[in-house]
Amino acid sequence: MNTSIPQSSNIETYTAVAMSTGHLSEEDKALLSKQAKDPGCSRIMEREYGFFIKVPGEPADVGYNLIEGGSKELNRIIIWAMGCGFQMIEFDADANYIDGFAVQEQD
């Protein structure tokens, strides 16, 4: 059994931003839920209280990460997150609202 501790310098990491699911419209929630169940979609995960969306790449690659059929507000959040350097967005029912984004519902 190997008991050595791995060096963190060779471990891939990424940053995430958490925001309220209240920023998502019902239509966006339904779309994300559908995509999360699609075996061909590996970057959206649904859980009981929200979603994780991986947004890999550089801000210049944002077109790859936009959600086809998603609202302008959802895609604006993705563009913002990538511009801030985040590689994952966590939409969570208990997370805070972020000023500057529409509130679809009060959680």
Side-chain angles (χ1 to χ4, degrees), residues 12-17 19 32 42-45 51-67 74-91:
E12 185 177 343
T13 63
Y14 55 87
T15 58
V17 60
M19 58 193 311
L32 292 173
S42 62
R43 61 187 194 93
I44 299 172
M45 187 186 94
F51 301 90
F52 290 105
I53 303 174
K54 285 187 76 173
V55 288
E58 299 297 320
D61 301 327
V62 71
Y64 169 79
N65 289 300
L66 297 179
I67 305 292
L74 174 58
N75 284 317
R76 190 167 83 88
I77 290 168
I78 291 169
I79 292 167
W80 168 82
M82 290 189 72
C84 291
F86 297 114
Q87 291 106 4
M88 178 170 286
I89 304 166
E90 176 185 5
F91 286 102

Side-chain angles (χ1 to χ4, degrees), residues 17-30 32-33 45-53 71 73-74 77 89-98 101-107:
V17 60
M19 58 193 311
S20 175
T21 53
H23 288 299
L24 295 172
S25 69
E26 290 303 314
E27 294 81 9
D28 284 334
K29 289 177 186 176
L32 292 173
S33 183
M45 187 186 94
E46 183 176 18
R47 57 195 189 92
E48 185 177 358
Y49 299 106
F51 301 90
F52 290 105
I53 303 174
S71 69
E73 188 69 2
L74 174 58
I77 290 168
I89 304 166
E90 176 185 5
F91 286 102
D92 186 277
D94 292 329
N96 292 329
Y97 291 96
I98 296 180
F101 293 113
V103 174
Q104 305 294 330
E105 67 177 38
Q106 298 289 329
D107 292 328

